[in-house]
């Protein structure tokens, strides 16, 4: 019910003989009024045909973060270079300022090409 659009909610209400007038929240309320706790429990049981909670917890899953730690730095640098190549100096200058304040450090300084490209 939560994922249905306004028009889909109207169609469902009309199909079930409910009033199809009002906003999205009203239509969802009409449809939720039809769902009894027993019917909801049966649907939940139908979905849980897989593993039990103990079996799910017993599975050994390790999370390994393989993302690039310098992604934000590289992406902002790419944006600076692209906007300066197009000639949008104001946007490039703002992105260069963002790059220097948020992501630059002594270990990863901003390349001189970025400054040079922005000033052209």
């Amino acid at each position: 019910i939560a994922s249905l659009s306004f028009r889909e909610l109207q169609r469902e209400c009309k199909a079930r003989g409910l009033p199809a007038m009002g906003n999205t929240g009203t239509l969802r309320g009409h449809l939720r009024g039809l769902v009894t706790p027993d019917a909801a429990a049966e649907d939940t049981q139908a979905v849980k045909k897989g593993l039990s909670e103990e079996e799910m917890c017993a599975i050994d899953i390790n999370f390994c973060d393989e993302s690039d730690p310098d992604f934000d730095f590289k992406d902002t640098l790419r944006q600076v270079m692209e906007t300066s190549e197009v000639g949008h100096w104001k946007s490039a200058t703002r992105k260069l300022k963002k790059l220097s304040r948020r992501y630059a450090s002594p270990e990863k300084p901003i390349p001189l090409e970025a400054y040079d490209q922005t000033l052209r």
Side-chain angles (χ1 to χ4, degrees):
I1 294 174
S3 64
L4 295 177
S5 69
F6 177 76
R7 297 291 177 201
E8 291 170 332
L9 288 168
Q10 276 186 326
R11 267 188 245 116
E12 290 297 321
C13 285
K14 286 179 185 177
R16 288 170 170 61
L18 298 170
M21 300 292 289
N23 60 17
T24 305
T26 306
L27 297 176
R28 284 189 178 129
H30 293 313
L31 289 172
R32 285 188 180 124
L34 288 178
V35 178
T36 63
D38 295 333
E42 288 174 12
D43 290 343
T44 305
Q45 292 300 324
V47 172
K48 288 187 176 180
K49 290 181 181 176
L51 300 173
S52 69
E53 187 174 340
E54 292 83 22
E55 291 172 331
M56 291 174 72
C57 291
I59 297 174
D60 186 26
I61 297 175
N62 294 323
F63 177 74
C64 181
D65 185 11
E66 295 178 355
S67 63
D68 185 8
D70 295 331
F71 174 78
D72 293 326
F73 179 82
K74 292 176 184 176
D75 186 52
T76 308
L77 181 61
R78 179 192 55 79
Q79 291 175 4
V80 167
M81 300 303 278
E82 285 179 359
T83 53
S84 61
E85 285 176 8
V86 175
H88 297 146
W89 63 270
K90 196 171 196 176
S91 177
T93 305
R94 288 179 178 159
K95 290 182 188 311
L96 188 61
K97 182 179 178 181
K98 176 182 174 182
L99 181 67
S100 66
R101 292 194 178 191
R102 291 187 185 171
Y103 307 116
S105 66
E107 295 84 32
K108 52 180 182 183
I110 299 172
L112 293 177
E113 298 90 37
Y115 292 107
D116 187 41
Q117 187 72 27
T118 305
L119 294 174
R120 285 186 191 178

